[in-house]
Amino acid sequence: MKRFIAGVLVALTLVFVIRSCNEGKEGKSILEENSMLIQQEISNVSKLIVTEGHFAEVYNYKDSKELFGPLLRAEKKALVVVNADVTVAYDLSLIDFEVDETAKTVRINSIPDAEIKLNPDFEYYDVTADYLNQFDAADYNKIKKTVSASLMKKIEASSLRSNAENRLISELQKFYILTNSMGWRLAYRENTIETMEEVKEFKP
């Protein structure tokens, strides 16, 4: 009788161990599948966001050179009209993130800065120059540098960058929706994101 009871206990123990191992394997398999799915979905979200704008600038360029003292000057001038196409882009494929299967957490470590591309078209009008003070490459480079700096100030003061940031936040909120729907957590650096509103605190 004792041998029978011992045999039953051994059999039950084996069944329990086998079932525990199977449940562990199944749970690990589900965790790995969820991890792979999350990484795939993040890859799908990781795209290039581009916001476009157009700016114009009218610039009066003047330069004078003293010849033989202040009594004699050689001057040159030009009216420059600039039309510029501008793009503000975020390449989300450059987001640095890690998937922590143990903690069921997707942690975003860094977000790429905005890439601002300026494509100006320069048109020169009323170009006049004295014989001893002609236009050269230095003048054109100076004009381009000055106008580009002025255009960048206009871009910063406009809604173009803020519109691009709003589009960025909209895309990043998809990360929260994805992780939350699968029972995972989203963290930005060391802070856990609890609500959609907190995604707005993400900064490159």
Side-chain angles (χ1 to χ4, degrees), residues 115-171:
E115 299 175 6
I116 300 178
K117 292 185 179 180
L118 187 62
N119 297 305
D121 178 32
F122 291 82
E123 295 185 11
Y124 295 84
Y125 298 93
D126 193 24
V127 178
T128 58
D130 291 336
Y131 179 75
L132 295 177
N133 191 12
Q134 296 290 315
F135 272 89
D136 56 22
D139 292 302
Y140 292 109
N141 288 335
K142 184 178 180 180
I143 290 171
K144 289 180 179 180
K145 185 176 180 180
T146 302
V147 172
S148 294
S150 178
L151 286 171
M152 287 300 296
K153 287 182 179 179
K154 284 188 174 182
I155 293 168
E156 294 296 338
S158 73
S159 61
L160 187 64
R161 181 183 277 275
S162 62
N163 289 342
E165 289 176 351
N166 289 336
R167 290 190 61 191
L168 171 66
I169 294 300
S170 178
E171 292 299 323

Side-chain angles (χ1 to χ4, degrees), residues 85-136:
D85 292 321
V86 182
T87 61
V88 180
Y90 289 95
D91 188 352
L92 298 190
S93 67
L94 300 179
I95 287 179
D96 178 23
F97 73 93
E98 55 187 298
V99 177
D100 186 342
E101 294 182 2
T102 303
K104 289 187 177 182
T105 300
V106 174
R107 181 172 291 103
I108 296 176
N109 297 316
S110 65
I111 300 169
D113 290 325
E115 299 175 6
I116 300 178
K117 292 185 179 180
L118 187 62
N119 297 305
D121 178 32
F122 291 82
E123 295 185 11
Y124 295 84
Y125 298 93
D126 193 24
V127 178
T128 58
D130 291 336
Y131 179 75
L132 295 177
N133 191 12
Q134 296 290 315
F135 272 89
D136 56 22

Side-chain angles (χ1 to χ4, degrees), residues 24-203:
K25 289 180 180 178
E26 184 179 350
K28 186 178 180 180
S29 177
I30 292 173
L31 185 62
E32 289 177 350
E33 287 178 7
N34 286 344
S35 175
M36 291 177 63
L37 179 60
I38 284 175
Q39 292 192 53
Q40 180 61 44
E41 289 300 317
I42 289 176
S43 296
N44 292 338
V45 173
S46 299
K47 60 185 179 182
L48 184 66
I49 305 170
V50 180
T51 303
E52 298 178 334
H54 183 83
F55 293 84
E57 179 87 4
V58 177
Y59 177 60
N60 281 298
Y61 178 73
K62 291 183 180 180
D63 178 79
S64 62
K65 180 191 296 184
E66 290 185 359
L67 301 174
F68 313 110
L71 297 179
L72 183 61
R73 291 177 177 272
E75 297 187 344
K76 55 186 170 185
K77 64 179 182 177
L79 176 67
V80 186
V81 177
V82 185
N83 287 287
D85 292 321
V86 182
T87 61
V88 180
Y90 289 95
D91 188 352
L92 298 190
S93 67
L94 300 179
I95 287 179
D96 178 23
F97 73 93
E98 55 187 298
V99 177
D100 186 342
E101 294 182 2
T102 303
K104 289 187 177 182
T105 300
V106 174
R107 181 172 291 103
I108 296 176
N109 297 316
S110 65
I111 300 169
D113 290 325
E115 299 175 6
I116 300 178
K117 292 185 179 180
L118 187 62
N119 297 305
D121 178 32
F122 291 82
E123 295 185 11
Y124 295 84
Y125 298 93
D126 193 24
V127 178
T128 58
D130 291 336
Y131 179 75
L132 295 177
N133 191 12
Q134 296 290 315
F135 272 89
D136 56 22
D139 292 302
Y140 292 109
N141 288 335
K142 184 178 180 180
I143 290 171
K144 289 180 179 180
K145 185 176 180 180
T146 302
V147 172
S148 294
S150 178
L151 286 171
M152 287 300 296
K153 287 182 179 179
K154 284 188 174 182
I155 293 168
E156 294 296 338
S158 73
S159 61
L160 187 64
R161 181 183 277 275
S162 62
N163 289 342
E165 289 176 351
N166 289 336
R167 290 190 61 191
L168 171 66
I169 294 300
S170 178
E171 292 299 323
L172 292 176
Q173 285 175 337
K174 294 178 182 179
F175 285 64
Y176 175 79
I177 294 171
L178 171 64
T179 53
N180 192 53
S181 66
M182 298 184 68
W184 285 49
R185 294 188 302 168
L186 177 65
Y188 181 54
R189 294 174 181 167
E190 300 303 321
N191 300 318
T192 299
I193 306 303
E194 303 290 350
T195 66
M196 288 270 281
E197 280 295 310
E198 293 181 28
V199 179
K200 294 180 180 180
E201 300 301 319
F202 285 16
K203 298 294 181 184

